[in-house]
Amino acid sequence: MTPLSHWIWFHVAIVALLALEYLLHLAVPNTKRKAIYATILWVAAALSLAAVLVRFYTSAGAVQYLAGYAIEEALSIDNLFVFLLLFRLFRIPEVRQPRVLFWGVAGAIVMRGAFIAAGLGLLHRFHWISYAFGAILLFGAIRLLRPENPNDATQTPGWIRWLSTLSPISESQDHFFVRQNGRVMGTILLLALVAVELTDIVFALDSIPAVLSITRQPFLAYTSNIMAVMGLRSLYVLLAAMLAKLRFLHFGLAAVLAFAAIKMLLGAWIEIGPLVSLAVIAGLLSVTIGASLLFTRPATQPISS
């Protein structure tokens, strides 16, 4: 049983890190350099927490946390692809994107905590749920291997068209709500935020079972998940230009999900330790990222006249 003080101090530390990140935002004018410093801050904080956890959960618990953090960070990269498409779909300028991501991450913290609590409760009460989670992970792996329809990135989702018929949507992107013609209206920026939140719910269906395949300790599962999510905003700024170049990354993410599914489905017969899990996850991502950088798409040849 994790003491209440651990939960309190963890959230105090998160608030302090957010304050430090805000000071970085004020002190550093360059957007890319700001994102680099913020990414270093969150990665350093995540690794420092692992060192602290050794004292309370032994080295085995710290390794479970690191493996959970690694798998969540890897799956979060897939979120970034979708965020990039959503911002293009809604035509959200770069200067407005951090606000959407900030509130999107804030909502994700609440939802991830609730999902982890619900998932652990189900696993403790119904053993067969682990097989259901394993099946969900396998489905997610297969989904990542399917070729994407290029038209999906340019078509407006049906739920947005439906929502627009219920209530007029302002084209403004200065705030989430505006007053126009004497009435309060949601804006395109609000639609983008709702889309980001719904996207995180969908991805949580994969990521929460994945982290629960690593550890069933609530504090370790929660902290690894939150530390991975907190670095998403700065990571998005750094990787937005690179995402299109990582052509083989989805194979690595699919393999990571399949590995987590195998752990869930065969957990009663085969025990795979957290150290092995961490090595497998790091190896799969290293191979697919390395292959993406080595074997880039050939440049389109100009048509000679």
Side-chain angles (χ1 to χ4, degrees):
M1 183 72 177
T2 302
L4 178 62
S5 60
H6 290 190
W7 294 95
I8 294 174
W9 279 112
F10 173 74
H11 289 93
V12 168
I14 291 293
V15 173
L17 288 167
L18 282 172
L20 186 55
E21 185 184 30
Y22 180 70
L23 293 177
L24 280 173
H25 175 77
L26 296 178
V28 182
N30 184 277
T31 302
K32 191 170 184 179
R33 188 175 300 173
K34 191 185 304 181
I36 292 173
Y37 292 156
T39 300
I40 293 173
L41 171 68
W42 287 108
V43 172
L47 297 178
S48 299
L49 178 58
V52 172
L53 290 174
V54 172
R55 178 181 175 185
F56 300 101
Y57 295 92
T58 72
S59 58
V63 172
Q64 287 181 27
Y65 160 80
L66 285 174
Y69 173 74
I71 198 170
E72 290 300 325
E73 196 72 63
L75 295 177
S76 294
I77 295 176
D78 205 29
N79 289 36
L80 300 184
F81 281 101
V82 179
F83 292 166
L84 185 64
L85 293 177
L86 287 174
F87 288 142
R88 287 177 180 173
L89 173 67
F90 290 105
R91 296 181 177 87
I92 305 297
E94 289 186 10
V95 69
R96 303 296 184 195
Q97 293 175 12
R99 179 187 298 184
V100 176
L101 289 175
F102 176 83
W103 290 108
V105 168
I109 291 176
V110 177
M111 289 188 294
R112 296 294 180 99
F115 281 8
I116 288 173
L120 284 169
L122 289 172
L123 286 170
H124 285 307
R125 192 163 186 178
F126 306 105
H127 177 70
W128 59 267
I129 289 293
S130 62
Y131 301 114
F133 281 175
I136 290 172
L137 291 172
L138 275 180
F139 175 78
I142 295 170
R143 185 186 61 200
L144 282 173
L145 292 176
R146 279 174 20 193
E148 294 184 358
N149 185 351
N151 294 327
D152 291 345
T154 57
Q155 291 180 351
T156 303
W159 69 268
I160 295 177
R161 295 194 297 268
W162 174 76
L163 190 61
S164 299
T165 62
L166 296 181
S167 176
I169 301 297
S170 171
E171 296 291 329
S172 172
Q173 295 189 15
D174 295 329
H175 304 283
F176 292 120
F177 294 95
V178 295
R179 181 178 291 276
Q180 291 183 357
N181 302 323
R183 62 183 299 183
V184 176
M185 300 171 59
T187 65
I188 294 294
L189 204 66
L190 177 65
L191 284 184
L193 175 61
V194 172
V196 167
E197 295 288 8
L198 291 176
T199 297
D200 187 72
I201 291 176
V202 173
F203 277 103
L205 297 178
D206 289 337
S207 65
I208 299 305
V211 77
L212 294 181
S213 73
I214 302 294
T215 179
R216 302 293 173 86
Q217 166 55 248
F219 189 73
L220 299 180
Y222 177 77
T223 53
S224 63
N225 208 281
I226 298 308
M227 293 305 292
V229 170
M230 290 305 297
L232 264 187
R233 290 168 298 131
S234 56
L235 202 59
Y236 172 81
V237 175
L238 291 179
L239 294 183
M242 284 186 58
L243 289 177
K245 299 179 181 178
L246 301 178
R247 56 187 299 202
F248 299 124
L249 180 61
H250 63 286
F251 291 114
L253 296 176
V256 168
L257 282 180
F259 172 71
I262 291 171
K263 285 197 61 167
M264 277 281 190
L265 295 172
L266 302 182
W269 300 278
I270 301 174
E271 183 176 353
I272 302 175
L275 195 57
V276 174
S277 300
L278 182 60
V280 169
I281 294 166
L284 290 171
L285 294 177
S286 298
V287 169
T288 50
I289 291 175
S292 299
L293 298 177
L294 284 174
F295 303 101
T296 57
R297 287 187 176 89
T300 303
Q301 296 294 329
I303 301 174
S304 56
S305 55

